Amino acid sequence: MENYLGKEYTDRDRRESFLKANCEKVEEKGYMKPYTPEELQGHKENLANLSIRIEEVEEEKKAQERYYKDELDPLTKERSEMVKNIRQKAEYVHEICYKFVDREEKQTGYYNADGDLIELRPATADELHPTLFIGLPKTGTDSQ
């Protein structure tokens, strides 16, 4: 399967229409969506700012331990999540994905709305099961 589908459509709505019209099924699916270099840099800057803020809070914490503990916990959790995502250079997202089954290669691929292949796996027996419509050209008006 190809790594990209529908990239010739610069308009996101047209690309999604193309993907929807030509896929086997539209499914909600979670996956790790890579950051762009700009997003990654922004997250690194946010992490630096968040680390500075945490340091300030920890100094004040000595005077009012209980009050600042409640403020610090969500910040620390947020930092931990940011560090994990920056290390992985991606974040876990839950989006609509488009499932395509390549019966010749016996593979199933999932594409996001940008047309990027986000998962490729061997097709299951159910997915390879013959249907009445195999071999017919897709008109783009078929809906699932």
Side-chain angles (χ1 to χ4, degrees):
M1 291 200 154
E2 298 177 30
N3 283 336
Y4 306 101
L5 283 178
K7 288 291 190 176
E8 64 271 18
Y9 299 105
T10 55
D11 179 54
R12 184 179 175 99
D13 291 336
R14 288 196 65 207
R15 183 173 38 250
E16 284 191 58
S17 295
F18 165 79
L19 291 168
K20 186 174 184 179
N22 290 287
C23 72
E24 299 286 327
K25 187 176 181 183
V26 176
E27 295 181 11
E28 182 94 14
K29 185 163 182 63
Y31 66 97
M32 294 299 291
K33 186 174 184 177
Y35 289 137
T36 64
E38 294 82 18
E39 289 173 328
L40 185 59
Q41 183 61 35
H43 286 299
K44 287 178 180 179
E45 289 172 12
N46 288 342
L47 176 60
N49 292 335
L50 188 57
S51 294
I52 291 169
R53 177 70 180 130
I54 288 172
E55 183 64 32
E56 292 170 353
V57 171
E58 286 176 343
E59 289 174 12
E60 295 172 6
K61 179 181 166 187
K62 293 175 186 173
Q64 299 179 5
E65 182 78 33
R66 185 166 181 86
Y67 174 79
Y68 286 105
K69 182 182 183 317
D70 293 339
E71 186 176 343
L72 183 62
D73 286 345
L75 294 173
T76 304
K77 183 179 179 183
E78 183 180 349
R79 178 179 67 175
S80 175
E81 191 66 29
M82 286 177 136
V83 168
K84 182 179 89 176
N85 288 343
I86 290 170
R87 263 194 208 125
Q88 295 175 347
K89 296 182 181 167
E91 67 181 324
Y92 188 81
V93 295
H94 206 81
E95 297 179 337
I96 296 293
C97 294
Y98 304 90
K99 175 182 172 182
F100 289 83
V101 177
D102 185 337
R103 287 176 177 80
E104 291 177 11
E105 293 189 29
K106 297 181 179 178
Q107 292 183 327
T108 298
Y110 287 90
Y111 292 84
N112 65 10
D114 292 328
D116 298 327
L117 178 65
I118 56 131
E119 181 182 333
L120 181 64
R121 61 170 173 76
T124 63
D126 289 345
E127 292 168 337
L128 295 174
H129 191 272
T131 67
L132 295 174
F133 301 106
I134 292 179
L136 294 177
K138 291 195 176 197
T139 62
T141 58
D142 303 330
S143 62
Q144 300 258 355

